């Protein structure tokens, strides 16, 4: 009986000790610099839930990552080691087996924690290694696509699904047992395979539809082209510049993508709010520490760059918000200036759990900075490096201190940067060659050499030279998406049956033997589109063979705009019509949900500054029978648009209307509401022309007096007469 009593006593003491251990919730976002949150000063970002955590917890003003790329940052947190230390020599991206034998969650499990994971994994582990072996609950949820089709046929965004799994985890939590749950979002990562601005490239949870639409979007703060021009050549043609063309290279694209990006941020915040509500309802909030941070920073168009992958502040700097409900007094709502790293997180997690921190861990434990406003600094310097995707991203290593930052690009003859963060916080001046700073340079080199040796020594030599990802402007931005052949043309429809690089509803679109097929059964109420995802189009020469059934109505949409307010696959913009048995419409220039008919087939047109199209010439109208293949050609040069069918001209238009015209957008094909139809496209080729082709002016292409206005679409008044041009 006595032994039984002691057993119950020890069990009670064990459960009591377990209950005192705090729960840990880790929210981890992708591609988010600290400036993209309300609590970090973004003037537009609506992030009330994250802001509340910051206002009641600790916000770190100077949080950084050791290496600014997804999988290295994630593996660093899992292992407590920098990439140089956990990686296989000669293949530094891949983790060594001994480095990932025990993750920080394994130590928590050994200490009695129930562990969970939901979301983006993306860590490069040894062959045979299984992530699910290290968590009690493991739910990998990736992007591509961000919208996941559910059993009932509806679409749900990955951000919402990740938090759904987190909510399920805590609702099934045994009483008296501590837990650690990781919700690692794919947002705010762009959908790299989809370069359609807005909801294509930065898909947001649909609950955020319309947010920021009326807000004025300011340009990037470091937007001066001279900043980019002063970069060394190896940074001007790398992936940072290539993806700039995908995201930020025009004012309109920048505004569209920034609104979409901010909706992704608000979508994360909204999902976190749902989780926090359930946490409180389950009675778990008072003993749960919440951490919010990101895997790397993001250039957001600054310096003429996209992505991360550089030594600059916007690449390395991330948000770091920690809310510990047990903390009282002045520690609540504090802003810390100390430099902390993602490398510090596993040590801090284990410290909160009362677990001994492994000696091999290379980070610091910042628990005291959370609890005590008077706690001292952790370190004087932070070490930063980059070696991932080394053939496309220049590798570097260096140290950042409170005053100076030093890096050397190791595969570029140790090209050095030295920045004075006090006098030049934007890092616009490189002091490495300035003799006044020779002593500072020497000391920062020494510190870097020392840290490199501590972490495992120099990187192995690069295998082959750094590749060039893109040519600088004004060479066409779209060329970065697909390499042209000797004739300058690229094929857009690959052989076979797979719909690669195209996005459309499979209910209407398919592909067979290299032919893109659109079909409707006569019940369609809204036009539906299939869109080329690989790039936008600006100036181009497009050739495609088209066949349409009797009564069919379709079109080649270009410089278009995605319209998620109507439907995920709906596009508006310029269109070369494909209309069976209607010669005056076949090959004409139409503007979907815009100015509508700009020129009928056979009309040469100039659109004046007010948007009125005038017929300034004509050419013969030919009939092309349905059910046969014809080659359509669309040539767009600046503000001049020309269409042909089998080399016969059908439209020639100059668009002088600044408000109405669009200079860049997506390429799409259409199936039309109305009668049943089948439209087929094959042998589609495009040649991208330079971005900076000149715009035609009215003085060079005057509208002759007495020119007649283009007949508008729709039923007209009985006595309608076309307007007559009287001059401007």
């Amino acid at each position: 009986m006595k032994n039984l009593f002691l057993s119950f006593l020890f069990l009670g003491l064990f459960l009591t000790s377990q209950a005192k251990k705090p729960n840990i919730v880790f929210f981890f976002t992708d591609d988010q610099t600290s400036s993209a949150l309300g609590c970090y000063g973004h003037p537009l970002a609506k992030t009330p839930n994250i802001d509340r955590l910051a206002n009641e917890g600790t916000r770190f003003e100077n949080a950084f990552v050791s290496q600014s790329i997804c999988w290295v940052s994630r593996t660093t947190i899992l292992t407590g080691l920098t990439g140089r230390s956990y990686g296989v020599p000669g293949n530094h991206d891949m983790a060594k087996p001994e480095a990932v034998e025990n993750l920080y969650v394994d130590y928590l499990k050994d200490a009695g924690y129930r562990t969970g994971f939901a979301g983006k994994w993306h860590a490069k582990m040894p062959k045979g290694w299984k992530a699910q072996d290290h968590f009690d609950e493991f739910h990998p949820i990736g992007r591509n696509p961000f919208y996941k089709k559910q059993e009932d046929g509806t679409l749900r965004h990955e951000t919402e699904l990740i938090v759904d799994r987190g909510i399920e985890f805590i609702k099934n939590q045994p009483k008296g047992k501590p837990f650690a749950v990781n919700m690692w979002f794919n947002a705010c990562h762009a959908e790299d395979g989809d370069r359609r601005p807005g909801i294509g490239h930065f898909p947001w949870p649909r609950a955020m539809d319309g947010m920021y639409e009326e807000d004025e979007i300011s340009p990037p703060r470091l937007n001066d082209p001279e900043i980019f021009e002063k970069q060394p050549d190896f940074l001007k043609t790398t992936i940072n510049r290539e993806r700039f063309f995908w995201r930020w290279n025009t004012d309109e694209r920048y505004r569209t993508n920034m609104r979409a990006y901010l909706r992704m941020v608000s979508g994360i915040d909204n999902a976190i709010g749902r989780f926090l509500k359930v946490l409180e309802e389950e009675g778990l909030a008072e003993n749960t520490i919440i951490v919010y941070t990101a895997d790397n920073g993001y250039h957001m168009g600054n310096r003429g760059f996209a992505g991360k992958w550089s030594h600059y502040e916007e690449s390395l700097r991330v948000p770091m918000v920690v809310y510990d409900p047990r903390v009282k007094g002045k520690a609540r709502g504090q802003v810390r200036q100390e430099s902390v790293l993602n490398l510090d997180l596993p040590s801090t997690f284990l410290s909160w759990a009362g677990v001994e921190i492994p000696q091999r861990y290379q980070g610091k434990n910042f628990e005291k900075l959370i609890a005590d406003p008077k706690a001292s600094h952790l370190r004087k310097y932070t070490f930063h490096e980059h070696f991932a995707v080394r053939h496309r991203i220049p590798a570097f290593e260096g140290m950042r201190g409170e005053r100076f930052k030093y890096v050397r690009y190791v595969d570029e003859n140790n090209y050095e940067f030295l920045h004075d963060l006090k006098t030049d916080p934007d890092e616009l001046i490189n002091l490495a060659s300035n003799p006044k700073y020779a002593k500072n340079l020497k000391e920062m080199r020494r510190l870097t050499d020392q840290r490199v040796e501590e972490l495992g020594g120099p990187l192995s030599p690069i295998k082959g030279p750094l590749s060039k990802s893109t040519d600088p402007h004004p060479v066409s931005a779209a060329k970065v998406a697909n390499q042209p052949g000797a004739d300058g043309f690229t094929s857009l429809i690959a052989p076979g049956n797979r719909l690669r690089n195209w996005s459309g509803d499979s209910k209407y679109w398919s592909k067979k033997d290299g032919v893109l097929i659109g079909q409707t059964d006569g019940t369609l109420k809204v036009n539906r589109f299939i869109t080329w995802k690989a790039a936008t189009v600006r100036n181009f020469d497009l050739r495609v063979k088209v066949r349409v059934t009797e009564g069919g109505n379709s079109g080649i949409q270009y410089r278009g705009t995605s319209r998620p307010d109507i439907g995920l696959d709906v596009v508006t913009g310029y269109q070369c019509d494909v209309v069976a048995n209607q010669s005056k419409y076949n090959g004409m220039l139409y503007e979907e949900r815009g100015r509508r008919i700009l020129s009928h087939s056979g009309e040469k047109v100039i659109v004046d500054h007010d948007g009125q199209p005038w017929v300034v010439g004509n050419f013969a109208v030919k009939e092309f029978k349905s059910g046969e293949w014809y080659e359509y050609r669309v040539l767009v040069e600046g503000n001049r648009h020309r269409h042909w069918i089998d080399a016969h001209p059908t439209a020639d238009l100059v668009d002088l209307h600044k408000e109405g015209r669009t200079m860049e957008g997506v390429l799409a094909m259409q199936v039309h509401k109305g009668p049943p139809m089948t439209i087929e496209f094959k042998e589609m080729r495009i040649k991208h022309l330079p971005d900076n082709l000149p715009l035609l002016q009215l003085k060079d292409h005057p509208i002759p007096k007495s020119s007649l206005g283009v007949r508008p679409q729709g039923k007209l008044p009985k006595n309608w007469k076309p307007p007559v041009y009287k001059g401007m």
Side-chain angles (χ1 to χ4, degrees):
M1 180 66 73
K2 182 178 180 181
N3 289 338
L4 184 60
F5 172 75
L6 289 174
S7 296
F8 278 115
L9 177 63
F10 288 135
L11 178 61
L13 291 172
F14 173 76
L15 291 175
T16 301
S17 67
Q18 294 294 91
K20 290 180 180 178
K21 291 183 178 180
N23 307 311
I24 302 170
V25 172
F26 181 21
F27 293 114
F28 198 33
T29 67
D30 200 317
D31 285 357
Q32 187 180 44
T33 188
S34 59
S35 61
L37 293 169
C39 57
Y40 277 91
H42 194 286
L44 300 178
K46 297 175 178 64
T47 51
N49 296 294
I50 300 168
D51 296 350
R52 179 168 68 87
L53 295 175
N55 293 337
E56 298 177 8
T58 297
R59 178 171 67 82
F60 285 96
E61 188 67 26
N62 293 296
F64 304 96
V65 294
S66 297
Q67 185 164 175
S68 187
I69 198 166
C70 306
W71 61 87
V72 179
S73 182
R74 292 161 192 276
T75 311
T76 286
I77 291 172
L78 293 167
T79 64
L81 303 172
T82 60
R84 185 178 303 249
S85 301
Y86 79 65
V88 175
N91 184 18
H92 295 283
D93 285 10
M94 184 67 66
K96 294 181 287 192
E98 60 269 27
V100 293
E101 183 178 353
N102 287 295
L103 311 181
Y104 82 83
V105 288
D106 293 308
Y107 295 113
L108 292 178
K109 284 179 71 174
D110 292 343
Y113 275 73
R114 178 170 170 257
T115 59
F117 178 92
K120 178 176 179 176
W121 180 250
H122 200 189
K124 299 189 177 182
M125 297 301 191
K127 187 176 181 179
W129 191 95
K130 295 180 180 179
Q132 56 267 38
D133 294 341
H134 298 262
F135 296 88
D136 293 306
E137 296 283 343
F138 183 73
H139 301 284
I141 301 172
R143 56 182 177 86
N144 193 17
F146 270 91
Y147 302 110
K148 313 292 185 186
K149 186 167 283 190
Q150 305 302 293
E151 290 183 1
D152 62 359
T154 60
L155 297 175
R156 192 155 177 79
H157 195 274
E158 64 87 23
T159 293
E160 300 292 356
L161 288 174
I162 289 167
V163 169
D164 289 348
R165 300 292 84 79
I167 289 173
E168 289 172 7
F169 181 87
I170 62 171
K171 283 191 171 183
N172 294 323
Q173 178 64 23
K175 289 186 178 180
K177 187 177 180 69
F179 67 82
V181 62
N182 300 265
M183 284 168 273
W184 290 15
F185 301 106
N186 293 275
C188 304
H189 200 294
E191 186 48 81
D192 291 331
D194 191 337
R195 287 89 187 252
R196 296 175 297 167
I199 204 161
H201 202 50
F202 289 109
W204 61 82
R206 299 306 302 277
M208 304 299 111
D209 281 1
M211 287 185 70
Y212 308 106
E213 197 62 45
E214 303 302 321
D215 290 326
E216 184 175 343
I217 304 295
S218 299
R221 194 171 59 82
L222 303 178
N223 199 32
D224 188 342
E226 187 177 338
I227 298 174
F228 172 77
E229 292 301 331
K230 287 184 176 180
Q231 302 296 328
D233 288 344
F234 62 84
L235 290 180
K236 285 184 178 180
T237 58
T238 189
I239 191 171
N240 290 88
R241 186 60 171 175
E242 175 187 354
R243 296 194 178 185
F244 176 79
F245 290 127
W246 301 1
R247 295 173 192 159
W248 317 119
N249 67 318
T250 68
D251 291 343
E252 183 59 31
R253 188 200 296 263
Y254 176 81
R255 288 191 291 267
T256 298
N257 277 338
M258 270 303 303
R259 289 187 174 101
Y261 181 90
L262 289 172
R263 289 174 191 139
M264 291 182 97
V265 173
S266 291
I268 292 171
D269 184 84
N270 184 62
I272 287 175
R274 284 199 301 119
F275 181 88
L276 296 179
K277 183 179 179 182
V278 175
L279 192 71
E280 292 175 358
E281 291 171 351
E282 295 294 312
L284 298 168
E286 292 183 1
N287 194 39
T288 299
I289 301 171
I290 298 169
V291 177
Y292 179 95
T293 190
D295 63 353
N296 48 250
Y298 215 42
H299 277 289
M300 308 294 284
N302 285 292
R303 304 178 200 275
F305 288 155
K308 45 271 188 183
W309 317 301
S310 82
H311 73 275
Y312 290 113
E313 290 286 278
E314 51 267 24
S315 173
L316 300 175
R317 189 180 288 272
V318 292
M320 181 82 77
V321 172
V322 180
Y323 170 74
D324 186 343
R326 306 168 304 168
V327 169
K328 308 298 179 185
K330 293 182 179 179
R332 294 180 72 86
Q334 64 175 333
V335 178
R336 303 293 314 215
Q337 299 298 324
E338 291 84 358
S339 292
V340 295
L341 291 167
N342 58 344
L343 184 65
D344 301 331
L345 285 169
S347 297
T348 306
F349 291 155
L350 296 187
S351 178
W352 280 328
V355 176
E356 184 178 352
I357 299 170
Q359 288 188 346
R360 72 175 186 278
Y361 273 22
Q362 295 167 340
K364 304 287 187 180
N365 168 20
F366 60 68
E367 180 182 8
K368 288 185 178 179
L369 297 181
I370 304 296
D372 182 6
K374 297 180 181 179
S376 59
H377 287 217
L378 290 179
R379 53 168 68 87
K380 290 185 178 180
Y381 297 95
T382 54
F383 175 77
H384 305 277
E385 63 183 353
H386 205 296
F387 52 71
V389 199
R390 199 167 165 189
H391 66 290
R392 295 193 68 195
I393 302 172
F396 69 82
E397 59 194 17
M399 301 292 287
R400 183 191 187 280
E402 186 176 340
R403 176 76 186 269
F404 290 101
K405 180 197 280 187
Y406 165 82
V407 297
R408 57 195 179 212
Y409 281 83
V410 297
D411 297 328
E412 304 301 323
N413 297 315
N414 279 335
Y415 188 103
E416 294 178 306
F417 283 89
L418 181 68
H419 299 294
D420 186 336
L421 299 176
K422 184 177 180 180
T423 62
D424 178 31
D426 289 330
E427 305 169 288
L428 300 179
I429 302 170
N430 184 6
L431 302 171
S433 60
N434 189 327
K436 283 186 177 182
Y437 294 88
K439 288 185 178 179
N440 304 105
L441 181 66
K442 184 177 180 180
E443 174 62 8
M444 295 301 283
R445 279 181 189 153
R446 183 190 70 79
L447 291 171
T448 300
D449 292 341
Q450 177 181 318
R451 190 59 175 152
V452 164
E453 287 303 318
E454 292 171 352
L455 297 175
L459 297 172
S460 302
I462 187 173
K463 298 176 182 177
L466 180 70
S467 64
K468 185 174 73 170
S469 293
T470 183
D471 289 311
H473 179 84
V475 176
S476 176
K479 280 187 180 176
V480 303
N482 50 353
Q483 295 302 315
D487 62 355
F489 282 86
T490 303
S491 177
L492 302 190
I493 304 177
N497 302 327
R498 186 182 170 197
L499 277 172
R500 290 187 59 192
N501 291 329
W502 291 89
S503 177
D505 193 327
S506 59
K507 183 177 179 181
Y508 309 105
W509 293 97
S510 62
K511 184 179 165 198
K512 185 177 181 181
D513 299 330
V515 177
L516 196 62
I517 305 168
Q519 289 180 300
T520 63
D521 61 4
T523 61
L524 195 61
K525 303 300 182 185
V526 178
N527 299 347
R528 307 304 292 260
F529 300 81
I530 189 165
T531 314
W532 186 48
K533 300 190 299 181
T536 52
V537 293
R538 187 176 177 89
N539 299 316
F540 63 91
D541 188 351
L542 177 76
R543 319 285 179 91
V544 57
K545 290 185 178 177
V546 184
R547 182 167 66 181
V548 64
T549 55
E550 182 83 17
N553 190 345
S554 179
I556 302 165
Q557 198 95 6
Y558 59 90
R559 287 187 179 177
T561 301
S562 297
R563 292 291 302 273
D565 53 316
I566 304 171
L568 277 177
D569 65 342
V570 174
V571 177
T572 61
Y574 293 113
Q575 180 173 296
C576 173
D577 264 37
V578 179
V579 186
N581 307 117
Q582 291 281 345
S583 352
K584 67 177 179 179
Y585 298 130
N586 197 16
M588 75 175 182
L589 205 160
Y590 182 78
E591 190 175 62
E592 185 85 11
R593 289 183 178 265
R595 294 167 293 178
R596 307 183 82 178
I597 293 178
L598 294 179
S599 74
H600 297 88
S601 183
E603 294 176 339
K604 187 173 182 179
V605 169
I606 295 178
V607 181
D608 69 22
H609 294 129
D610 296 322
Q612 170 65 49
W614 300 97
V615 180
V616 297
N618 296 91
F619 25 77
V621 176
K622 288 182 66 175
E623 181 178 345
F624 298 92
K625 294 181 180 180
S626 59
E628 298 181 14
W629 288 103
Y630 301 101
E631 183 178 73
Y632 283 68
R633 182 186 180 194
V634 178
L635 177 63
V636 180
E637 299 169 295
N639 58 342
R640 187 180 185 185
H641 305 244
R642 284 179 281 178
H643 302 167
W644 292 264
I645 303 175
D646 273 5
H648 177 75
T650 60
D652 186 346
L653 178 138
V654 175
D655 194 349
L656 302 175
H657 188 207
K658 291 183 180 179
E659 294 181 11
R661 72 177 178 228
T662 304
M663 296 305 298
E664 184 176 13
V666 298
L667 176 69
M669 309 297 137
Q670 179 198 77
V671 287
H672 209 280
K673 63 182 181 181
M677 63 163 287
T678 298
I679 180 81
E680 298 169 281
F681 301 91
K682 69 177 182 179
E683 299 175 26
M684 185 183 295
R685 301 177 303 136
I686 193 168
K687 182 178 183 178
H688 299 290
L689 307 176
D691 288 355
N692 63 341
L693 295 179
L695 299 181
L696 302 180
Q697 304 294 325
L698 182 61
K699 63 181 180 180
D700 302 314
H701 296 270
I703 302 171
K705 287 188 177 182
S706 301
S707 295
L708 300 180
V710 171
R711 179 186 174 91
Q713 187 174 355
K715 188 175 181 180
L716 300 175
K718 186 176 181 180
N719 297 321
W720 180 84
K721 292 182 179 180
V724 179
Y725 186 74
K726 299 179 180 179
M728 298 187 73

